[in-house]
Amino acid sequence: MVYHPEFKQWIAENQALFLKDLARIIRIPSKKSVATTEAPFGEANLNVLREALTIADEYGFSTKMVENAVGYAQLGEEEDYIGVVGHLDVVPEGEGWSSPPYELTLRDEKLYARGVLDNKGPIMACLFALKLLQDHEVPLKRTVRIVFGTDEESGSQDMPLYLAKEKAPIFGFTPDCKYPVVYGERGILRVGITTKITADSFTYLGAIVGSQDPSFIPDSLTTVFQGRTFTASGKRSPSNAPELGENSITLLAKQLEEVLTHEDDLKDYLAWIVIHLHQQHQGEGLGLNWSDSDSGTLQISPYRWTKQDDGMCLEISIRYPVTVTEEAVLEQLTKVLPKLSTLNVLRRLPSTVFPKEHWGVQKLVTVYEEVMHEDGQPVTTTGATYARFVPNIVAFGPSFPGQKGIAHNPDEYMDVTDWLKNIEIYMHAILALAND
């Protein structure tokens, strides 16, 4: 690979334009909402897709909308293409922002906004990278597509719609994870543990109130028990980084268990949560602390706790190493459930592993090492990206080693220098993949 120092100057000359156009995408609150005949993932998600394609049209790319769910900007006419696949949908903004979440705000050399890191900023960085290559007439042998999805945060139901109409890329990447190139993604299970409670004390427990979602560790939950209000205040973090947060589910269970003075099955249930889950993010309390050399240690994240008519339901996300099977996880979990409990699988995503020796992966290794002067050997992730749903792609960027727990939080941010460096990396990556 040839390193191109001139790319930095090209980026600097266009930085103001790129920030202005990124702000156009940020300002649309593209959270999944009620589907309509025209908008399968809600009106806002369709609007942000239209805006991205409008920008791509302004840049001179050919564009296409697929089923009002996915769109792409294309450079080149060949049928086979290199695909760069990102998403324009975001998780809800939540509370606790220092600036409006849907206004791109520059503060202390950081860009703040919902989606600036996950994933509007990075996928637009890829569009900007392709624009610069086009503007400076850098030869590309292969067709390149920047593909914009709108349902990654809610299950990636957009990609089957795209692939039903369009060929898959011959290779490509999604800028929705971390560096270096990610060749493996852990298996993910979301399970619900429903426990019947017969104790008289259960009738005095109110609903569990607070913001709860599979994408993050809840940071504030409240309930009423025996006429008293209990609030557990923790720290929000992405659900694939529970060690960076403090889970209000287990904190609230601990408070309630401590005020129950007599033994009953409600106290036993609360004690089970505390003993087996409180600050035990690697499954050690459940006998699930398994690991392998490629993907590290299994990870546990309780993310939703609700009261039902005759019991409680606790939902947990489990991210397991690539060498572990779903069957083994469920078998062990079943052995340690609370009394009178049933286990239901709510979502399953098997692990995925891409060959590290593949020519495309090795190209991305070289790109990262040449631009960053750091080790670029492939890694694995606890996250879930479009690489699970689109053939022949891997995750590549945008977060650098050591950066974790920023997405899905209030004051989501991206360093300006990191965002510009991403554009540079993606320029080199597109050039290397398109000219192999």
Side-chain angles (χ1 to χ4, degrees):
M1 182 198 111
V2 176
Y3 177 70
H4 293 268
E6 68 274 19
F7 286 1
K8 288 184 179 181
Q9 181 62 33
W10 300 353
I11 295 167
E13 292 169 352
N14 287 271
Q15 180 175 338
L17 171 67
F18 293 161
L19 286 172
K20 176 177 70 70
D21 287 343
L22 176 59
R24 292 165 59 180
I25 298 299
I26 291 290
R27 71 169 58 105
I28 301 173
S30 46
K31 302 168 288 186
K32 187 173 184 178
S33 59
V34 177
T36 68
T37 302
E38 288 192 350
F41 306 113
E43 291 291 341
N45 290 27
L46 179 56
N47 288 340
V48 76
L49 184 56
R50 285 171 172 158
E51 186 69 3
L53 295 185
T54 296
I55 293 171
D57 284 331
E58 294 169 359
Y59 291 172
F61 296 118
S62 60
T63 61
K64 184 177 180 181
M65 181 92 76
V66 181
E67 301 288 1
N68 284 358
V70 178
Y72 63 82
Q74 179 168 302
L75 180 60
E77 302 297 331
E78 297 297 323
E79 185 178 1
D80 289 339
Y81 67 95
I82 298 298
V84 181
V85 189
H87 66 94
L88 300 171
D89 60 307
V90 297
V91 298
E93 65 275 13
E95 299 178 350
W97 286 78
S98 304
S99 53
Y102 298 107
E103 291 182 17
L104 186 63
T105 302
L106 176 60
R107 186 172 69 249
D108 299 327
E109 299 305 312
K110 291 181 171 63
L111 296 169
Y112 289 90
R114 174 57 86 226
V116 71
L117 177 64
D118 185 15
N119 184 236
K120 292 178 176 180
I123 190 57
M124 292 303 290
C126 294
L127 181 68
F128 302 151
L130 189 60
K131 171 181 166 40
L132 291 176
L133 294 174
Q134 174 184 246
D135 288 353
H136 291 271
E137 299 180 344
V138 178
L140 300 177
K141 296 178 181 177
R142 291 192 173 108
T143 296
V144 178
R145 279 187 191 178
I146 309 297
V147 182
F148 303 100
T150 60
D151 189 51
E152 194 276 342
E153 297 290 4
S154 301
S156 300
Q157 298 175 63
D158 49 351
M159 285 302 132
L161 298 175
Y162 173 77
L163 293 170
K165 299 288 186 178
E166 302 286 332
K167 286 184 61 174
I170 60 168
F171 186 71
F173 62 87
T174 176
D176 192 25
C177 193
K178 63 182 180 180
Y179 294 114
V181 57
V182 176
Y183 78 96
E185 299 186 7
R186 295 189 196 186
I188 299 177
L189 272 175
R190 290 181 190 163
V191 299
I193 301 172
T194 302
T195 304
K196 186 175 181 179
I197 307 292
T198 62
D200 291 340
S201 58
F202 180 69
T203 61
Y204 299 99
L205 178 66
I208 309 296
V209 180
S211 179
Q212 302 186 81
D213 186 85
S215 65
F216 58 79
I217 299 302
D219 58 352
S220 181
L221 293 177
T222 298
T223 192
V224 175
F225 181 58
Q226 295 179 335
R228 293 173 52 190
T229 298
F230 294 83
T231 298
S233 297
K235 179 182 177 183
R236 182 176 296 197
S237 69
S239 58
N240 67 340
E243 73 281 1
L244 301 181
E246 192 169 8
N247 199 314
S248 58
I249 290 175
T250 61
L251 290 173
L252 185 58
K254 192 170 188 292
Q255 288 184 31
L256 296 172
E257 192 272 335
E258 289 173 351
V259 300
L260 271 168
T261 56
H262 61 281
E263 299 293 330
D264 61 18
D265 60 3
L266 177 58
K267 185 177 179 68
D268 291 344
Y269 171 71
L270 296 169
W272 182 89
I273 292 177
V274 175
I275 292 169
H276 293 277
L277 295 173
H278 184 58
Q279 295 182 340
Q280 300 188 76
H281 310 302
Q282 297 180 343
E284 54 268 48
L286 301 171
L288 288 170
N289 49 327
W290 302 331
S291 64
D292 60 33
S293 58
D294 281 342
S295 49
T297 306
L298 181 144
Q299 189 183 79
I300 294 279
S301 298
Y303 65 83
R304 181 179 286 126
W305 195 29
T306 55
K307 183 187 179 187
Q308 300 180 336
D309 290 341
D310 60 351
M312 302 293 291
C313 183
L314 178 65
E315 297 179 28
I316 300 174
S317 174
I318 304 171
R319 300 166 192 264
Y320 55 90
V322 296
T323 57
V324 172
T325 65
E326 173 188 319
E327 291 75 18
V329 173
L330 294 176
E331 180 180 358
Q332 174 58 27
L333 188 55
T334 301
K335 294 177 181 178
V336 295
L337 290 178
K339 295 178 182 178
L340 303 178
S341 294
T342 57
L343 180 66
N344 296 299
V345 175
L346 306 175
R347 191 184 185 203
R348 47 168 54 91
L349 288 175
S351 59
T352 180
V353 178
F354 200 89
K356 288 187 281 187
E357 65 276 7
H358 185 277
W359 67 268
V361 172
Q362 290 304 309
K363 284 284 184 182
L364 295 178
V365 168
T366 301
V367 164
Y368 185 79
E369 291 181 342
E370 289 293 323
V371 176
M372 297 301 298
H373 307 290
E374 297 176 357
D375 181 15
Q377 290 307 300
V379 296
T380 64
T381 182
T382 58
T385 74
Y386 277 145
R388 295 178 188 262
F389 303 94
V390 180
N392 307 323
I393 70 169
V394 294
F396 187 53
S399 296
F400 293 99
Q403 297 176 339
K404 194 175 183 181
I406 301 170
H408 297 188
N409 281 337
D411 284 344
E412 177 183 345
Y413 72 88
M414 197 170 189
D415 289 328
V416 174
T417 54
D418 287 351
W419 186 64
L420 298 175
K421 180 60 71 174
N422 268 276
I423 299 175
E424 182 188 0
I425 291 172
Y426 292 142
M427 289 179 72
H428 283 92
I430 291 169
L431 182 60
L433 296 175
N435 286 344
D436 177 72

